Coordinates of all heavy atoms in Angstrom, one line a residue:
M1 N 193.9 -93.4 -9.4 CA 193.1 -92.4 -8.8 C 191.6 -92.6 -9.2 O 191.3 -93.0 -10.2 CB 193.6 -91.0 -9.3 CG 194.9 -90.6 -8.8 SD 194.8 -89.4 -7.6 CE 196.4 -88.7 -7.7
T2 N 190.8 -92.1 -8.3 CA 189.4 -92.2 -8.4 C 188.8 -90.8 -8.4 O 189.3 -90.0 -7.6 CB 188.7 -93.1 -7.3 OG1 189.4 -94.4 -7.3 CG2 187.3 -93.3 -7.5
T3 N 187.7 -90.6 -9.1 CA 187.1 -89.3 -9.0 C 186.0 -89.3 -7.9 O 185.2 -90.2 -7.9 CB 186.4 -88.9 -10.4 OG1 187.4 -88.9 -11.4 CG2 185.7 -87.6 -10.3
Y4 N 186.0 -88.3 -7.1 CA 185.1 -88.2 -6.0 C 184.4 -86.8 -6.1 O 184.9 -85.9 -6.7 CB 185.8 -88.2 -4.6 CG 186.4 -89.6 -4.3 CD1 187.8 -89.8 -4.6 CD2 185.7 -90.6 -3.8 CE1 188.4 -91.0 -4.4 CE2 186.3 -91.8 -3.5 CZ 187.6 -92.0 -3.8 OH 188.2 -93.2 -3.6
T5 N 183.2 -86.8 -5.6 CA 182.5 -85.5 -5.4 C 182.4 -85.2 -4.0 O 181.9 -86.0 -3.2 CB 181.0 -85.6 -6.0 OG1 181.1 -85.9 -7.4 CG2 180.3 -84.3 -5.8
A6 N 183.0 -84.1 -3.6 CA 183.0 -83.6 -2.2 C 181.9 -82.5 -2.2 O 182.0 -81.5 -2.9 CB 184.4 -83.0 -1.8
T7 N 181.0 -82.6 -1.2 CA 180.0 -81.6 -1.0 C 180.3 -80.9 0.3 O 180.4 -81.5 1.3 CB 178.6 -82.3 -0.9 OG1 178.4 -83.0 -2.1 CG2 177.5 -81.2 -0.8
V8 N 180.5 -79.6 0.1 CA 180.9 -78.8 1.3 C 179.7 -77.9 1.5 O 179.3 -77.1 0.7 CB 182.1 -77.9 1.0 CG1 182.5 -77.1 2.2 CG2 183.3 -78.8 0.6
T9 N 179.1 -78.0 2.7 CA 177.9 -77.2 3.1 C 178.4 -76.2 4.1 O 178.9 -76.6 5.2 CB 176.8 -78.1 3.7 OG1 176.4 -79.1 2.7 CG2 175.6 -77.2 4.0
V10 N 178.2 -74.9 3.8 CA 178.7 -73.8 4.7 C 177.5 -73.1 5.2 O 176.6 -72.7 4.4 CB 179.6 -72.8 3.9 CG1 180.1 -71.7 4.8 CG2 180.8 -73.6 3.3
R11 N 177.4 -72.9 6.5 CA 176.3 -72.1 7.1 C 176.9 -71.2 8.2 O 178.0 -71.5 8.8 CB 175.2 -73.0 7.7 CG 175.6 -73.9 8.8 CD 174.6 -74.9 9.3 NE 174.3 -75.9 8.3 CZ 175.0 -76.9 8.0 NH1 176.1 -77.2 8.6 NH2 174.6 -77.8 7.0
L12 N 176.1 -70.2 8.6 CA 176.5 -69.3 9.6 C 176.4 -70.0 11.0 O 175.5 -70.8 11.2 CB 175.7 -68.0 9.7 CG 175.9 -67.1 8.5 CD1 174.8 -66.0 8.5 CD2 177.3 -66.4 8.6
K13 N 177.3 -69.8 11.9 CA 177.2 -70.4 13.2 C 176.0 -69.8 13.9 O 175.5 -68.7 13.6 CB 178.5 -70.0 14.0 CG 179.7 -70.7 13.6 CD 180.9 -70.3 14.5 CE 182.1 -71.1 14.0 NZ 183.3 -70.9 14.9
R14 N 175.5 -70.7 14.8 CA 174.3 -70.2 15.6 C 174.7 -68.9 16.4 O 175.8 -68.8 16.9 CB 173.9 -71.3 16.6 CG 173.3 -72.5 16.0 CD 172.5 -73.3 16.9 NE 172.1 -74.5 16.3 CZ 171.0 -74.6 15.5 NH1 170.3 -73.6 15.3 NH2 170.6 -75.8 15.0
G15 N 173.8 -68.0 16.4 CA 174.1 -66.7 17.1 C 174.6 -65.6 16.1 O 174.6 -64.5 16.5
V16 N 175.0 -66.0 14.9 CA 175.5 -65.0 14.0 C 174.2 -64.6 13.2 O 173.4 -65.4 12.7 CB 176.5 -65.6 13.0 CG1 176.9 -64.6 11.9 CG2 177.8 -66.0 13.8
L17 N 174.1 -63.3 13.0 CA 172.9 -62.7 12.3 C 172.8 -63.3 10.9 O 173.8 -63.2 10.2 CB 173.0 -61.2 12.3 CG 171.8 -60.4 11.8 CD1 170.5 -60.7 12.6 CD2 172.1 -58.9 11.8
D18 N 171.6 -63.8 10.6 CA 171.4 -64.4 9.2 C 170.1 -63.7 8.6 O 169.0 -64.2 8.7 CB 171.2 -65.9 9.4 CG 171.1 -66.6 8.1 OD1 171.0 -65.9 7.0 OD2 171.2 -67.8 8.1
P19 N 170.3 -62.5 8.1 CA 169.1 -61.8 7.6 C 168.3 -62.5 6.5 O 167.1 -62.4 6.4 CB 169.7 -60.4 7.1 CG 171.1 -60.5 7.1 CD 171.5 -61.7 7.9
E20 N 169.0 -63.2 5.6 CA 168.3 -64.0 4.6 C 167.4 -65.0 5.2 O 166.2 -65.2 4.8 CB 169.4 -64.6 3.7 CG 168.7 -65.4 2.5 CD 169.7 -66.1 1.7 OE1 170.9 -66.1 2.0 OE2 169.3 -66.7 0.7
A21 N 167.9 -65.7 6.2 CA 167.1 -66.8 6.8 C 165.9 -66.1 7.6 O 164.8 -66.7 7.6 CB 167.9 -67.6 7.7
E22 N 166.1 -65.0 8.2 CA 165.1 -64.4 9.0 C 163.9 -63.9 8.1 O 162.8 -64.1 8.4 CB 165.6 -63.2 9.8 CG 166.4 -63.6 11.1 CD 165.5 -64.4 12.0 OE1 164.3 -64.0 12.3 OE2 166.0 -65.5 12.5
T23 N 164.3 -63.3 6.9 CA 163.3 -62.9 6.0 C 162.5 -64.1 5.4 O 161.3 -64.0 5.3 CB 164.0 -62.1 4.8 OG1 164.7 -61.0 5.3 CG2 163.0 -61.7 3.8
T24 N 163.2 -65.1 5.1 CA 162.5 -66.3 4.6 C 161.7 -67.0 5.7 O 160.5 -67.4 5.4 CB 163.6 -67.4 4.1 OG1 164.4 -66.7 3.1 CG2 162.9 -68.6 3.5
K25 N 162.1 -67.0 6.9 CA 161.4 -67.6 8.0 C 160.0 -66.8 8.2 O 159.0 -67.4 8.3 CB 162.2 -67.5 9.3 CG 161.4 -68.1 10.5 CD 162.4 -68.0 11.8 CE 161.7 -68.6 13.0 NZ 160.7 -67.7 13.6
R26 N 160.1 -65.5 8.2 CA 158.9 -64.7 8.3 C 157.9 -64.9 7.2 O 156.7 -65.0 7.4 CB 159.2 -63.2 8.4 CG 159.8 -62.8 9.8 CD 159.9 -61.3 10.0 NE 160.6 -60.6 9.0 CZ 161.9 -60.4 9.0 NH1 162.6 -60.8 10.1 NH2 162.6 -59.7 8.1
A27 N 158.4 -65.1 6.0 CA 157.6 -65.3 4.8 C 156.9 -66.7 4.9 O 155.7 -66.9 4.6 CB 158.4 -65.2 3.5
L28 N 157.7 -67.7 5.4 CA 157.1 -69.0 5.6 C 156.0 -69.0 6.7 O 155.0 -69.7 6.5 CB 158.2 -70.0 5.9 CG 159.1 -70.4 4.8 CD1 160.3 -71.2 5.3 CD2 158.3 -71.3 3.7
E29 N 156.2 -68.3 7.7 CA 155.3 -68.2 8.8 C 154.0 -67.5 8.3 O 152.9 -67.9 8.7 CB 155.8 -67.4 10.0 CG 156.9 -68.3 10.7 CD 157.7 -67.5 11.8 OE1 157.7 -66.3 11.7 OE2 158.2 -68.2 12.6
R30 N 154.1 -66.5 7.4 CA 152.9 -65.8 6.8 C 152.2 -66.8 6.0 O 150.9 -66.7 5.8 CB 153.3 -64.6 6.0 CG 153.7 -63.4 6.9 CD 153.8 -62.1 6.1 NE 154.7 -62.1 5.0 CZ 156.0 -61.8 5.1 NH1 156.5 -61.4 6.3 NH2 156.9 -61.9 4.1
L31 N 152.8 -67.8 5.4 CA 152.2 -68.8 4.6 C 151.6 -69.9 5.4 O 151.0 -70.9 4.9 CB 153.2 -69.4 3.6 CG 153.6 -68.4 2.5 CD1 154.7 -69.0 1.7 CD2 152.4 -68.0 1.6
G32 N 151.7 -69.8 6.7 CA 151.1 -70.8 7.6 C 152.0 -71.9 8.1 O 151.6 -72.8 8.8
F33 N 153.3 -71.8 7.8 CA 154.2 -72.8 8.3 C 154.8 -72.4 9.7 O 155.1 -71.3 9.9 CB 155.4 -73.0 7.4 CG 155.0 -73.5 6.0 CD1 154.8 -72.7 5.0 CD2 154.8 -74.9 5.9 CE1 154.5 -73.2 3.7 CE2 154.4 -75.4 4.6 CZ 154.3 -74.6 3.6
E34 N 154.8 -73.3 10.6 CA 155.3 -73.1 12.0 C 156.8 -73.5 12.0 O 157.1 -74.7 11.7 CB 154.5 -73.8 13.0 CG 153.1 -73.3 13.1 CD 152.3 -74.0 14.2 OE1 152.9 -74.5 15.2 OE2 151.1 -74.0 14.1
L35 N 157.7 -72.6 12.4 CA 159.1 -72.9 12.4 C 159.7 -72.5 13.8 O 159.3 -71.5 14.3 CB 159.8 -72.2 11.3 CG 159.4 -72.3 9.9 CD1 160.1 -71.3 9.0 CD2 159.6 -73.7 9.4
D36 N 160.6 -73.3 14.3 CA 161.4 -72.9 15.5 C 162.5 -72.0 15.0 O 162.8 -71.0 15.7 CB 161.9 -74.1 16.2 CG 160.8 -74.8 16.9 OD1 159.7 -74.2 17.3 OD2 161.0 -76.0 17.2
A37 N 163.2 -72.4 13.9 CA 164.3 -71.6 13.5 C 164.6 -72.0 12.0 O 164.1 -73.0 11.5 CB 165.6 -72.0 14.3
L38 N 165.3 -71.2 11.3 CA 165.7 -71.4 9.9 C 167.1 -70.8 9.7 O 167.4 -69.7 10.2 CB 164.7 -70.8 9.0 CG 165.0 -70.9 7.5 CD1 164.6 -72.4 7.1 CD2 164.2 -70.0 6.7
R39 N 168.0 -71.5 9.1 CA 169.3 -71.0 8.8 C 169.5 -71.2 7.3 O 169.1 -72.2 6.7 CB 170.4 -71.7 9.6 CG 170.3 -71.4 11.0 CD 171.5 -71.9 11.8 NE 171.6 -73.4 11.7 CZ 172.7 -74.1 11.9 NH1 173.8 -73.5 12.2 NH2 172.7 -75.4 11.8
S40 N 170.2 -70.3 6.6 CA 170.5 -70.4 5.2 C 171.9 -71.1 5.1 O 172.7 -71.1 6.1 CB 170.5 -69.1 4.5 OG 171.5 -68.2 5.1
A41 N 172.2 -71.7 4.0 CA 173.4 -72.4 3.8 C 173.8 -72.3 2.3 O 173.0 -72.1 1.5 CB 173.3 -73.8 4.2
D42 N 175.1 -72.3 2.1 CA 175.7 -72.4 0.7 C 176.2 -73.8 0.6 O 176.8 -74.4 1.5 CB 176.8 -71.4 0.5 CG 176.3 -70.0 0.5 OD1 175.2 -69.7 -0.1 OD2 177.0 -69.1 1.0
Q43 N 176.1 -74.4 -0.6 CA 176.6 -75.7 -0.8 C 177.5 -75.7 -2.1 O 177.1 -75.2 -3.1 CB 175.4 -76.7 -1.0 CG 175.9 -78.2 -1.0 CD 174.7 -79.1 -0.9 OE1 173.9 -79.2 -1.9 NE2 174.4 -79.7 0.2
F44 N 178.6 -76.3 -2.0 CA 179.6 -76.4 -3.0 C 179.9 -77.8 -3.3 O 180.1 -78.6 -2.4 CB 180.9 -75.7 -2.7 CG 180.8 -74.3 -2.3 CD1 180.6 -73.9 -1.0 CD2 180.9 -73.3 -3.2 CE1 180.5 -72.6 -0.6 CE2 180.7 -71.9 -2.9 CZ 180.5 -71.6 -1.6
E45 N 179.8 -78.2 -4.6 CA 180.1 -79.6 -5.0 C 181.4 -79.5 -5.8 O 181.5 -78.8 -6.8 CB 179.0 -80.2 -5.9 CG 177.8 -80.5 -5.1 CD 176.7 -81.2 -5.9 OE1 176.9 -81.5 -7.1 OE2 175.6 -81.4 -5.3
V46 N 182.4 -80.2 -5.4 CA 183.7 -80.2 -6.0 C 184.1 -81.6 -6.5 O 184.1 -82.6 -5.7 CB 184.8 -79.8 -5.0 CG1 186.2 -79.7 -5.6 CG2 184.4 -78.4 -4.3
D47 N 184.3 -81.7 -7.8 CA 184.8 -83.0 -8.3 C 186.3 -83.0 -8.3 O 186.9 -82.1 -8.8 CB 184.2 -83.2 -9.7 CG 182.7 -83.4 -9.8 OD1 182.2 -83.9 -8.8 OD2 182.1 -83.1 -10.8
L48 N 186.9 -84.1 -7.8 CA 188.3 -84.1 -7.7 C 188.8 -85.5 -7.7 O 188.1 -86.5 -7.3 CB 188.8 -83.4 -6.4 CG 188.2 -83.8 -5.1 CD1 189.3 -84.5 -4.3 CD2 187.8 -82.5 -4.4
D49 N 190.0 -85.7 -8.2 CA 190.7 -87.0 -8.2 C 191.5 -87.2 -6.9 O 192.2 -86.3 -6.5 CB 191.6 -87.2 -9.4 CG 190.8 -87.2 -10.7 OD1 189.7 -87.7 -10.7 OD2 191.4 -86.8 -11.8
A50 N 191.4 -88.3 -6.3 CA 192.1 -88.6 -5.1 C 192.3 -90.1 -5.0 O 191.6 -90.9 -5.6 CB 191.3 -88.1 -3.9
E51 N 193.2 -90.5 -4.1 CA 193.5 -91.9 -3.9 C 192.5 -92.6 -3.0 O 192.4 -93.8 -3.1 CB 194.9 -92.1 -3.4 CG 196.0 -91.6 -4.4 CD 197.4 -92.0 -4.1 OE1 197.6 -92.9 -3.3 OE2 198.3 -91.4 -4.7
S52 N 191.8 -91.9 -2.2 CA 190.8 -92.5 -1.3 C 189.8 -91.4 -0.9 O 190.0 -90.2 -1.1 CB 191.6 -93.0 0.0 OG 192.0 -91.9 0.7
P53 N 188.7 -91.9 -0.4 CA 187.7 -90.9 0.1 C 188.2 -90.0 1.2 O 187.9 -88.8 1.3 CB 186.5 -91.8 0.6 CG 186.7 -93.1 0.0 CD 188.2 -93.3 -0.2
E54 N 189.1 -90.6 2.1 CA 189.7 -89.8 3.1 C 190.6 -88.7 2.6 O 190.5 -87.5 3.1 CB 190.5 -90.7 4.1 CG 189.6 -91.7 4.8 CD 189.2 -92.9 4.0 OE1 189.9 -93.2 3.0 OE2 188.3 -93.6 4.4
S55 N 191.3 -89.0 1.5 CA 192.2 -88.0 0.9 C 191.3 -86.9 0.3 O 191.7 -85.7 0.4 CB 193.1 -88.7 -0.1 OG 193.9 -87.7 -0.8
A56 N 190.3 -87.3 -0.4 CA 189.4 -86.3 -1.0 C 188.7 -85.4 0.1 O 188.6 -84.2 -0.1 CB 188.3 -87.0 -1.8
A57 N 188.3 -86.0 1.2 CA 187.8 -85.2 2.3 C 188.8 -84.2 2.9 O 188.4 -83.1 3.2 CB 187.2 -86.2 3.4
E58 N 190.0 -84.7 3.0 CA 191.1 -83.8 3.5 C 191.3 -82.6 2.6 O 191.4 -81.5 3.1 CB 192.4 -84.5 3.7 CG 192.4 -85.5 4.9 CD 193.7 -86.3 4.9 OE1 194.6 -86.0 4.2 OE2 193.7 -87.3 5.7
R59 N 191.3 -82.8 1.3 CA 191.5 -81.7 0.3 C 190.3 -80.8 0.4 O 190.4 -79.6 0.3 CB 191.7 -82.3 -1.1 CG 193.1 -83.0 -1.2 CD 193.4 -83.5 -2.5 NE 193.3 -82.5 -3.6 CZ 193.0 -82.7 -4.8 NH1 192.9 -84.0 -5.2 NH2 192.9 -81.8 -5.7
A60 N 189.1 -81.3 0.4 CA 187.9 -80.5 0.5 C 187.8 -79.7 1.8 O 187.4 -78.5 1.8 CB 186.6 -81.3 0.4
D61 N 188.3 -80.3 2.9 CA 188.4 -79.6 4.2 C 189.3 -78.4 4.1 O 189.1 -77.3 4.6 CB 188.8 -80.6 5.3 CG 188.7 -80.0 6.6 OD1 187.5 -79.7 7.1 OD2 189.7 -79.7 7.3
E62 N 190.5 -78.6 3.4 CA 191.4 -77.5 3.3 C 190.8 -76.4 2.4 O 191.0 -75.2 2.7 CB 192.7 -78.1 2.6 CG 193.8 -77.0 2.5 CD 195.1 -77.5 1.8 OE1 195.2 -78.7 1.6 OE2 196.0 -76.7 1.6
M63 N 190.1 -76.8 1.4 CA 189.4 -75.8 0.5 C 188.5 -74.9 1.4 O 188.4 -73.7 1.2 CB 188.7 -76.4 -0.6 CG 189.5 -77.0 -1.7 SD 188.4 -77.9 -2.9 CE 189.6 -78.9 -3.7
A64 N 187.7 -75.6 2.2 CA 186.8 -74.9 3.1 C 187.5 -74.0 4.0 O 187.1 -72.8 4.2 CB 185.9 -75.9 3.8
E65 N 188.5 -74.5 4.7 CA 189.3 -73.7 5.6 C 189.9 -72.4 5.0 O 190.0 -71.4 5.6 CB 190.4 -74.5 6.3 CG 189.9 -75.5 7.3 CD 189.5 -74.8 8.6 OE1 190.0 -73.8 9.0 OE2 188.6 -75.4 9.3
R66 N 190.4 -72.6 3.8 CA 191.2 -71.5 3.1 C 190.4 -70.6 2.3 O 190.8 -69.4 2.1 CB 192.3 -72.1 2.2 CG 193.3 -72.9 3.0 CD 194.4 -73.5 2.2 NE 195.2 -72.5 1.5 CZ 196.1 -72.7 0.6 NH1 196.4 -74.0 0.3 NH2 196.8 -71.7 0.0
L67 N 189.2 -71.0 1.8 CA 188.4 -70.1 1.0 C 186.9 -70.2 1.1 O 186.2 -69.1 1.2 CB 188.7 -70.3 -0.5 CG 188.0 -69.5 -1.5 CD1 188.4 -68.0 -1.4 CD2 188.2 -70.0 -2.9
L68 N 186.3 -71.4 1.2 CA 184.9 -71.5 1.1 C 184.2 -71.0 2.4 O 183.0 -70.6 2.3 CB 184.5 -72.9 0.8 CG 185.1 -73.5 -0.5 CD1 184.7 -75.0 -0.7 CD2 184.6 -72.7 -1.7
A69 N 184.8 -71.1 3.5 CA 184.2 -70.7 4.8 C 185.1 -69.8 5.6 O 186.3 -69.9 5.4 CB 183.9 -72.0 5.6
N70 N 184.5 -69.0 6.4 CA 185.3 -68.2 7.3 C 185.1 -68.8 8.7 O 184.0 -68.7 9.3 CB 184.8 -66.7 7.3 CG 185.4 -65.8 8.4 OD1 186.1 -66.3 9.3 ND2 185.2 -64.5 8.2
P71 N 186.1 -69.5 9.2 CA 185.9 -70.3 10.5 C 185.4 -69.4 11.6 O 184.9 -70.0 12.6 CB 187.3 -70.9 10.7 CG 187.9 -70.9 9.4 CD 187.4 -69.7 8.7
T72 N 185.6 -68.1 11.6 CA 185.2 -67.3 12.7 C 183.6 -67.2 12.7 O 183.1 -67.2 13.8 CB 185.7 -65.8 12.5 OG1 187.1 -65.9 12.4 CG2 185.3 -64.9 13.6
I73 N 183.0 -67.2 11.6 CA 181.5 -67.1 11.6 C 180.8 -68.2 11.0 O 179.5 -68.3 11.0 CB 181.1 -65.8 10.9 CG1 181.5 -65.8 9.4 CG2 181.6 -64.5 11.6 CD1 180.9 -64.6 8.6
H74 N 181.5 -69.2 10.3 CA 180.8 -70.3 9.6 C 181.2 -71.6 10.3 O 182.3 -71.8 10.7 CB 181.3 -70.3 8.2 CG 180.8 -69.2 7.3 ND1 181.7 -68.4 6.6 CD2 179.6 -68.7 7.1 CE1 181.0 -67.5 6.0 NE2 179.7 -67.7 6.2
D75 N 180.2 -72.5 10.2 CA 180.4 -73.9 10.4 C 180.3 -74.6 9.0 O 179.7 -74.0 8.1 CB 179.3 -74.6 11.2 CG 179.4 -74.2 12.7 OD1 180.6 -74.0 13.2 OD2 178.4 -74.0 13.3
Y76 N 181.0 -75.7 8.8 CA 180.8 -76.4 7.5 C 181.0 -77.9 7.7 O 181.5 -78.4 8.7 CB 181.9 -75.9 6.5 CG 183.3 -76.2 6.8 CD1 183.9 -77.4 6.4 CD2 184.1 -75.3 7.6 CE1 185.2 -77.7 6.8 CE2 185.4 -75.7 7.9 CZ 185.9 -76.8 7.5 OH 187.2 -77.1 7.8
D77 N 180.4 -78.6 6.8 CA 180.4 -80.1 6.7 C 180.9 -80.5 5.4 O 180.6 -79.8 4.4 CB 179.0 -80.7 6.9 CG 178.4 -80.3 8.3 OD1 179.1 -80.5 9.3 OD2 177.2 -79.9 8.3
V78 N 181.7 -81.6 5.4 CA 182.2 -82.1 4.1 C 181.7 -83.6 4.0 O 181.8 -84.4 4.9 CB 183.7 -82.1 4.1 CG1 184.3 -82.8 2.8 CG2 184.3 -80.7 4.2
E79 N 181.1 -83.9 2.9 CA 180.7 -85.2 2.6 C 181.3 -85.6 1.3 O 181.3 -84.8 0.3 CB 179.1 -85.3 2.5 CG 178.4 -85.1 3.8 CD 176.9 -85.2 3.7 OE1 176.4 -85.8 2.7 OE2 176.2 -84.6 4.5
V80 N 181.8 -86.9 1.2 CA 182.4 -87.3 0.0 C 181.8 -88.6 -0.5 O 181.4 -89.5 0.2 CB 183.9 -87.6 0.2 CG1 184.6 -88.2 -1.0 CG2 184.6 -86.3 0.7
A81 N 181.5 -88.6 -1.9 CA 181.0 -89.8 -2.5 C 181.7 -90.0 -3.8 O 182.3 -89.1 -4.4 CB 179.5 -89.6 -2.8
E82 N 181.8 -91.3 -4.2 CA 182.5 -91.6 -5.5 C 181.6 -91.1 -6.6 O 180.4 -91.2 -6.6 CB 182.7 -93.1 -5.6 CG 183.7 -93.5 -6.5 CD 184.1 -95.0 -6.4 OE1 184.3 -95.4 -5.3 OE2 184.2 -95.6 -7.5
A83 N 182.2 -90.4 -7.5 CA 181.5 -89.8 -8.7 C 181.1 -90.8 -9.7 O 181.6 -91.8 -9.8 CB 182.3 -88.7 -9.3

């Protein structure tokens, strides 16, 4: 078995109200930054032992589906790297 780090990035789907991002966007605009859009995201790093990167990605995907993300309102990405 090899240790992998799975990075799960969870963000609200487009069209879902994101008050944290809207507040931050307005503050950045007041500081002179021009933005088309801004979305907030949560990132989870999970260290796990697996037989392959694909196996680690499958386990991280299951974690995201079951707990880390709500598929109704969230999109998520899983990236795996050897630790």
Side-chain angles (χ1 to χ4, degrees):
M1 291 255 202
T2 304
T3 301
Y4 295 94
T5 298
T7 303
V8 181
T9 304
V10 179
R11 68 186 60 79
L12 291 168
K13 290 182 176 183
R14 292 200 185 276
V16 176
L17 186 61
D18 189 347
E20 179 182 6
E22 283 301 315
T23 300
T24 304
K25 180 178 180 287
R26 285 193 302 273
L28 287 168
E29 289 170 340
R30 282 193 302 273
L31 292 172
F33 295 99
E34 294 182 26
L35 305 172
D36 289 334
L38 180 75
R39 292 189 299 159
S40 61
D42 291 321
Q43 192 170 70
F44 302 92
E45 290 185 2
V46 181
D47 293 334
L48 52 110
D49 292 329
E51 295 192 16
S52 68
E54 295 80 17
S55 176
E58 287 175 12
R59 290 183 54 206
D61 190 67
E62 183 179 354
M63 291 176 197
E65 286 285 330
R66 294 179 65 186
L67 179 68
L68 302 177
N70 176 346
T72 303
I73 62 170
H74 293 122
D75 287 325
Y76 66 89
D77 298 311
V78 175
E79 294 181 20
V80 175
E82 201 168 313

